Amino acid sequence: MTRNATALQLTPELVAKTLRVVEDQGPEPNRTPISPAELDDLVHRIEAEADGDIWLFAYGSLMWNPGFAASASEPAIAYGWHRAFSLRIERLRATSAAPGLMLALRPGGSCAGRILKLPAETQRQELRTLLAREIRYAEVTGMVRWIPVRTPAGTRKVLTFWASTRHCPLTEGIPLEEAAVLIAQACGPAGSCAEYLHRTVSDLCERNILDRNLWRLQEMVAARLNALPA
């Protein structure tokens, strides 16, 4: 069963209520920005672990904003994993005064998404740019890993970003009610968490992917935003 994006209760008009100009406050509190040398080490580690080509499993913003031109793309399902708003943030799309949440991959269930192939001729450069975007701090370098996914062509080994409580205490299972409160309130220099949720659920709808938790979450966030003054 799928749902059409036109049925979303979290509309662009409601998302607009959450958007405001926010000054960049620097790195996340108690986090150490990853150094160029640490980033290079991470790139080399992943290249050494790869079986030639590098495929990336996209399940959230990387589906609608990958940041690179994929040389190939396929639908895929990761079994034993699910997407969830489980990464607490105080920067990017949030502030310390109004923290928010971002998506991460968590153990359990299944997750439908897409796999994207990094172009061979610029693979190292694209991989470095991708890691700099997703792994911003030295403390979370363990939150990138290889997983198997099932595609129409068979099983592939792909790279993905996941939520590990061992590597980052800011990742945890969060009830939808609490997640809705955080997502409805949070906005930072990169936009709001509600905008991120809206774009992700809209993209999933366009791909005929139904994520029941995210669908319920957009309804809950919409209800909170509808209750705000015009």
Side-chain angles (χ1 to χ4, degrees):
M1 176 182 172
T2 59
R3 291 188 173 97
N4 193 289
T6 59
L8 281 169
Q9 293 184 29
L10 183 59
T11 63
E13 292 74 22
L14 287 177
V15 168
K17 285 187 173 186
T18 69
L19 299 175
R20 55 189 178 274
V21 177
V22 178
E23 189 173 323
D24 191 340
Q25 297 178 312
E28 289 272 352
N30 304 314
R31 290 288 172 266
T32 309
I34 190 169
S35 70
E38 289 170 322
L39 188 59
D40 286 339
D41 287 345
L42 189 56
V43 170
H44 293 150
R45 188 197 92 196
I46 289 171
E47 286 183 324
E49 295 170 346
D51 299 327
D53 295 329
I54 295 178
W55 290 78
L56 171 73
F57 181 57
Y59 55 87
S61 63
L62 288 172
M63 294 178 70
W64 45 265
N65 183 27
F68 64 93
S71 58
S73 174
E74 300 174 7
I77 299 177
Y79 289 99
W81 299 91
H82 68 281
R83 63 171 68 78
F85 277 87
S86 59
L87 179 59
R88 293 181 183 270
I89 57 169
E90 295 184 27
R91 298 293 185 266
L92 201 62
R93 289 182 179 270
T95 63
S96 295
L101 296 172
M102 296 290 278
L103 274 178
L105 204 61
R106 291 184 60 81
S110 64
C111 179
R114 293 195 71 79
I115 56 171
L116 312 173
K117 185 179 178 182
L118 272 63
E121 61 276 11
T122 57
Q123 180 174 282
R124 176 170 293 181
Q125 174 188 335
E126 300 291 6
L127 177 61
R128 195 178 195 281
T129 300
L130 174 68
L131 292 171
R133 164 182 163 173
E134 299 294 328
I135 305 293
R136 296 171 177 265
Y137 303 105
E139 292 84 358
V140 297
T141 54
M143 291 174 64
V144 56
R145 63 173 292 168
W146 298 96
I147 64 170
V149 298
R150 193 171 301 171
T151 77
T155 300
R156 289 192 187 276
K157 169 186 168 183
V158 298
L159 197 67
T160 197
F161 301 98
W162 70 303
S164 165
T165 53
R166 182 167 66 87
H167 291 95
C168 180
L170 294 180
T171 63
E172 57 185 292
I174 297 172
L176 289 184
E177 293 78 9
E178 181 183 349
V181 172
L182 292 169
I183 291 169
Q185 75 177 11
C187 184
S192 72
C193 286
E195 177 187 38
Y196 177 92
L197 172 61
H198 177 265
R199 292 195 67 175
T200 300
V201 179
S202 295
D203 186 83
L204 292 174
C205 286
E206 290 174 5
R207 300 180 192 278
N208 292 321
I209 298 173
L210 173 61
D211 186 303
R212 288 178 174 82
N213 282 338
L214 262 60
W215 189 267
R216 176 63 183 137
L217 190 55
Q218 65 85 23
E219 293 175 334
M220 297 167 73
V221 172
R224 296 192 67 84
L225 296 177
N226 269 317
L228 296 176

